[in-house]
Amino acid sequence: MLAVLASIALVSTAPAPLIARTPPNIPSSSAAQTQLTGLRVAAQGPQTGYSRDLFPHWSTTSGSCNTRETVLQRDGTGVVTDSACASTSGRWFSPYDGATWSAASDVDIDHVVPLSNAWKSGAASWSTSRRETFANDLTNPQLIAVTDNVNQAKSDQGPESWKPPVTSYYCTYAKMWIKVKSVYSLTVTSAEKSALTSMLNSC
């Protein structure tokens, strides 16, 4: 009887299974290939004039919730928030490196296509309103919760110079990157296109 009770206790205290989350509207491999073909190849523009402040981010989504908190809730499992919408507990699986975290402070929200990259591939000419839409896009696969130091290692690099540590995620990452560049009519460099083509070949 004691053994049965012990096993019940173990089951009841076991954490809920971690559910794999993915950002919305990731295209199929064939659709991504078509979108990649449609992207204009051009050298990157200058960094001149760039500032993250030109891309207002973590805008309010509803009530006291902003974009960051919304993505944390979307991508996490068992997320609990306080009255300010801050995530106080939960678990997050980072598909870039396969790590799991239980503190929101260990998780960054990555802009799949970095703001600086966007600036140099077309966003420099956008209105502030369009840049804000880009930086807070919850409709396309532009925002994803990942390990903070992995996101920091990525910085503003494109797939020609940085790829997720988990090689099995190359396919999904490439499809997300291509979708965002396609939606916003951003350019790609020849090296970037070559890297994305190679990554799609892993699908």
Side-chain angles (χ1 to χ4, degrees), residues 1 6 14 27 49 69 76 83 86 96 125 138 140 161 173 177:
M1 183 63 176
E69 297 300 344
S83 59
Y96 286 5
S125 64
L138 294 168
N140 295 293
S161 54
Y173 186 80
W177 182 284

Side-chain angles (χ1 to χ4, degrees), residues 25 27 37 43 49 62 84 93 104 169 173 179:
N25 291 322
T37 301
S62 64
F93 174 76
Y169 201 68
Y173 186 80
K179 172 72 172 182

Side-chain angles (χ1 to χ4, degrees), residues 18 77-78 87-93 99-107:
L18 198 61
T77 297
S87 299
T88 57
S89 64
R91 289 192 299 152
W92 292 269
F93 174 76
T100 299
W101 302 100
S102 57
S105 58
D106 290 321
V107 178

Side-chain angles (χ1 to χ4, degrees), residues 22-65:
T22 56
N25 291 322
I26 298 174
S28 66
S29 299
S30 59
Q33 184 60 64
T34 299
Q35 291 166 358
L36 179 59
T37 301
L39 294 177
R40 186 169 70 89
V41 176
Q44 280 193 339
Q47 184 84 349
T48 308
Y50 169 74
S51 167
R52 285 179 65 85
D53 293 340
L54 295 173
F55 292 79
H57 49 288
W58 309 157
S59 302
T60 300
T61 52
S62 64
S64 57
C65 297

Side-chain angles (χ1 to χ4, degrees), residues 92-121:
W92 292 269
F93 174 76
S94 169
Y96 286 5
D97 59 335
T100 299
W101 302 100
S102 57
S105 58
D106 290 321
V107 178
D108 276 358
I109 306 304
D110 179 39
H111 288 96
V112 173
V113 175
L115 306 182
S116 172
N117 183 288
W119 177 267
K120 293 179 286 189
S121 56

Side-chain angles (χ1 to χ4, degrees), residues 161-195:
S161 54
W162 186 93
K163 297 175 180 64
V166 174
T167 57
S168 60
Y169 201 68
Y170 282 9
C171 170
T172 300
Y173 186 80
K175 291 189 293 186
M176 294 193 300
W177 182 284
I178 292 165
K179 172 72 172 182
V180 172
K181 285 246 165 167
S182 179
V183 166
Y184 289 94
S185 300
L186 295 169
T187 60
V188 291
T189 66
S190 56
E192 181 182 348
K193 184 173 183 178
S194 177

Side-chain angles (χ1 to χ4, degrees), residues 1-13:
M1 183 63 176
L2 289 174
V4 171
L5 290 173
S7 64
I8 292 173
L10 285 172
V11 170
S12 65
T13 58

